[in-house]
Amino acid sequence: MLGQAALPPAPAVKDSGVKETEEGIPVTSDLVIQKCGACHTRDEKGNLSRISWVRATPEGWAQAIRRMVRQNGLQINAEDARAAVKYLSAQHGLAPEEAKPVMYIPEKRIIDETLIPDDNIRTACASCHAFGQPMSWRRSKADWALLQNMHVALYSQADAQYRRPATAAPGAPPRAPGTPGPVVGELALEYMAKTAPLHTAEWSAWQSRQRPARVAGKWLVAATLPGKGKFVGEMIVEPGPAEDEFKTTTTLTSVKDGTVLKRTGTSIVYGGYSWRGRANVGVGEKAAPDDMTRESRETMWVSPSLNTAEGRWFWGFYDEFGFDVKMTRVLAGPAISSVAEDALKVGAANAKVTIYGDNLPTTLTAADVHLGTGVTVKRIVSQTATKVVVEADVAPAATSGQRDVELAGATLEKAFTVYRKVDYLKVTPETSMARLGSDVHPKGYQQYDAIGFENGPDGKPNTADDIAVGPVDVTWKVDEFMAVYNDDDRDFVGKLSATALFTPASDGPNPARKFTRNNYGDVWITATAKSEKDKFGQPLTARSYLVVAVPAYQRWDQPEVSR
């Protein structure tokens, strides 16, 4: 890995013919100059070729160092590699505002990307990997061109992709006869140079604001684990062996059943805001794949104020299990982290609302707690410094939508939802993939939830103003996705538990299947509400499309060719 050195040092990079015209970012680290300077030439301004004209996330720089080790003979041990990533993430990194839209890449989320502007850019940049991969970098225009050249040299399909004729934009005037149009590679180069340039206002501002992330102290944690619901707790962050390294002790409690998890770990905060850590409960053998006590990786975006953080703590061979996490730093005054209830129904009487936080007053009256327009707090049921329980009524005329919670000067925005009815369901994720496996190739699992929605003010489902109500009690089943005649995938691809955890079947030829096929296939995961009905009085239903694929027989080291 980062510490390996299997090849002799490579000669200096030859002149590529692509000339830099933009101002570079000088490299000032003696370690980086020593380790990288043999191949990356240094100019009179202190710029190192290529390195001074790119910026990237910590994962991007770690990926680049691995490539240099494996392909170009870089000799570097793990300690020096970590120090290089720290320096490059800070001085040649991304500003927080640049990194946040692509956090789903280090968080290992599988999502439908919304960053891709059109099919031309999709063809050039997202046919082989997530578009968040290039958008996790900033480069000069010349270096974007060099990156295209590298793809052509290393990946055989890249040249064909770049040379595809571009699709004309809607309403664009027709070209003159015989005039060749642009290819997608040209448009991609133009787009990336404009959208992800080396020099940006965000980076300039962050360079002057950047400071060590002094995050030691007590943090409130609000987390959600698909299939298991909400968790609340706290993280104690203590200084580690270096200024940007920390030790953590976390306690999480399930709102649903009171299960308590105690985790200890370590973390590094790169560039003043990029939290990367590992934590373990340390309770012995973990049997179930979704066991919450497995070692997990922590990836979070810390706000520039250093008072909030959000991200994902995940585990599994394919990173498929994980907590969605929000953290709030505990300061001198009251703080609110979470509300146990997802939603209150219009007209509800004596509804319980449980508020979690820290430094909460223990002498509150009903008048001190505010739950938003149309929700009236009637009495305090119980109160401690970390938990307040109240009873409230929701007016019959209350407007649907999210509500803030406020007490003693502390506020939690969009803490819960007021709704009239559940109009439709969504199964999340709406599209998904699992992988067959065996003792040799680990399985890739999938966990589902059923979320209820109210049509928003426009009265139409699946529009931007719809209101998420929260998880709905449902029954689950696997249905056939009819792709061919006599489709039988449902019988072979795997099993779905009562709690919507899909466990794929074993890999390898199956004599019970026609043509002795493997157990791959595609199916529907269907949820049927137990009590919510449609306008015809029938139970609400929803479904997710699931592809059960063969194992990943090769684990790619480079993430740009693995997603």
Side-chain angles (χ1 to χ4, degrees):
M1 300 307 291
L2 287 180
Q4 293 177 334
L7 300 174
V13 178
K14 295 181 179 180
D15 189 348
S16 64
V18 178
K19 300 297 184 182
E20 281 292 355
T21 60
E22 301 177 39
E23 191 72 19
I25 303 173
V27 175
T28 59
S29 164
D30 291 339
L31 172 66
V32 175
I33 293 170
Q34 176 193 355
K35 293 296 182 181
C36 305
C39 296
H40 296 269
T41 56
R42 194 166 186 236
D43 66 16
E44 67 281 359
K45 296 182 179 180
N47 297 314
L48 288 184
S49 59
R50 297 299 302 274
I51 295 173
S52 288
W53 284 273
V54 297
R55 297 189 283 114
T57 61
E59 287 74 21
W61 283 118
Q63 174 197 126
I65 292 174
R66 284 196 298 269
R67 180 183 286 126
M68 297 303 103
V69 169
R70 293 197 169 196
Q71 296 182 349
N72 296 317
L74 170 65
Q75 299 184 48
I76 188 169
N77 61 38
E79 182 180 354
D80 285 346
R82 185 180 300 110
V85 172
K86 285 185 178 183
Y87 167 79
L88 292 167
S89 298
Q91 303 305 317
H92 300 255
L94 301 189
E97 299 86 351
E98 295 172 321
K100 193 170 187 179
V102 290
M103 277 298 296
Y104 61 89
I105 296 293
E107 289 172 353
K108 304 297 185 183
R109 297 183 190 272
I110 304 299
I111 67 170
D112 292 330
E113 292 187 297
T114 59
L115 299 174
I116 307 175
D118 55 45
D119 285 340
N120 292 320
I121 306 303
R122 183 187 302 276
T123 298
C125 300
S127 294
C128 303
H129 54 63
F131 189 57
Q133 172 68 20
M135 289 301 296
S136 296
W137 292 73
R138 297 296 183 270
R139 301 174 183 268
S140 66
K141 184 171 183 178
D143 207 85
W144 282 117
L146 289 172
L147 184 70
Q148 280 198 350
N149 293 346
M150 184 207 75
H151 277 68
V152 171
L154 294 183
Y155 310 119
S156 58
Q157 76 277 22
D159 189 50
Q161 292 295 106
Y162 292 152
R163 292 178 184 273
R164 289 180 182 271
T167 303
R175 293 189 297 271
T179 303
V183 296
V184 297
E186 294 171 337
L187 295 185
L189 178 58
E190 179 181 344
Y191 178 83
M192 295 306 298
K194 180 179 179 181
T195 307
L198 177 65
H199 299 289
T200 65
E202 293 84 0
W203 177 245
S204 296
W206 181 241
Q207 281 295 90
S208 64
R209 295 178 59 200
Q210 187 178 156
R211 64 193 189 280
R214 294 189 171 92
V215 296
K218 183 177 181 180
W219 293 72
L220 297 179
V221 181
T224 302
L225 182 61
K228 291 183 169 60
K230 289 185 175 182
F231 289 73
V232 295
E234 66 179 33
M235 175 186 284
I236 304 300
V237 182
E238 298 177 305
E243 185 178 49
D244 52 6
E245 297 182 15
F246 302 91
K247 296 180 293 183
T248 61
T249 303
T250 306
T251 302
L252 294 177
T253 302
S254 168
V255 171
K256 183 178 181 180
D257 60 17
T259 298
V260 177
L261 299 175
K262 292 185 179 293
R263 303 154 41 94
T264 58
T266 58
S267 65
I268 298 175
V269 181
Y270 294 94
Y273 70 92
S274 295
W275 177 299
R276 305 292 187 264
R278 290 183 181 270
N280 202 329
V281 175
V283 294
E285 186 69 22
K286 285 78 175 175
D290 61 339
D291 191 331
M292 296 180 292
T293 65
R294 289 178 178 267
E295 180 182 76
S296 63
R297 294 172 60 187
E298 300 173 347
T299 301
M300 292 190 291
W301 183 91
V302 182
S303 68
S305 69
L306 304 182
N307 288 331
T308 61
E310 58 184 283
R312 186 169 183 254
W313 301 349
F314 54 88
W315 72 94
F317 193 74
Y318 298 101
D319 310 317
E320 63 266 50
F321 301 106
F323 291 90
D324 294 316
V325 177
K326 291 186 177 181
M327 302 207 316
T328 304
R329 193 170 197 165
V330 177
L331 302 173
I336 303 172
S337 64
S338 182
V339 171
E341 293 71 29
D342 292 293
L344 300 180
K345 195 168 186 177
V346 166
N350 302 323
K352 185 173 74 171
V353 178
T354 305
I355 304 166
Y356 296 95
D358 199 80
N359 294 331
L360 302 177
T362 56
T363 56
L364 294 169
T365 67
D368 297 324
V369 182
H370 303 280
L371 303 181
T373 304
V375 184
T376 303
V377 177
K378 296 175 60 179
R379 72 182 186 97
I380 306 293
V381 177
S382 63
Q383 53 185 314
T384 68
T386 58
K387 179 180 175 181
V388 174
V389 181
V390 304
E391 276 186 0
D393 291 345
V394 185
T399 302
S400 296
Q402 293 179 311
R403 297 295 195 275
D404 299 342
V405 171
E406 188 272 327
L407 61 84
T411 301
L412 179 63
E413 297 181 349
K414 301 178 181 179
F416 68 97
T417 298
V418 169
Y419 75 104
R420 293 190 172 277
K421 66 186 296 287
V422 176
D423 290 307
Y424 68 94
L425 302 181
K426 278 187 179 180
V427 174
T428 57
E430 293 184 77
T431 59
S432 52
M433 185 178 76
R435 286 191 181 273
L436 305 173
S438 62
D439 292 338
V440 177
H441 301 103
K443 295 181 178 182
Y445 300 81
Q446 188 59 255
Q447 176 68 58
Y448 296 92
D449 274 328
I451 308 299
F453 286 82
E454 179 183 322
N455 296 339
D458 66 2
K460 300 176 181 178
N462 298 301
T463 57
D465 66 353
D466 292 356
I467 300 166
V469 176
V472 173
D473 195 14
V474 301
T475 57
W476 296 94
K477 66 175 181 175
V478 179
D479 286 328
E480 192 64 67
F481 179 88
M482 298 302 296
V484 298
Y485 289 113
N486 300 316
D487 216 341
D488 61 356
D489 294 343
R490 181 184 63 178
D491 300 328
F492 295 99
V493 295
K495 301 296 182 182
L496 187 68
S497 74
T499 57
L501 173 63
F502 180 81
T503 300
S506 298
D507 64 334
N510 187 346
R513 292 201 81 173
K514 190 175 182 180
F515 307 123
T516 319
R517 288 182 295 160
N518 208 329
N519 289 317
Y520 57 78
D522 46 0
V523 293
W524 292 112
I525 303 299
T526 302
T528 302
K530 294 182 178 180
S531 58
E532 305 295 342
K533 309 287 185 181
D534 63 17
K535 62 182 179 181
F536 302 107
Q538 299 299 311
L540 293 176
T541 63
R543 59 188 185 179
S544 171
Y545 175 60
L546 168 65
V547 173
V548 183
V550 297
Y553 292 113
Q554 182 170 357
R555 293 287 289 175
W556 296 94
D557 175 69
Q558 297 295 339
E560 74 270 21
V561 292
S562 69
R563 298 183 69 83

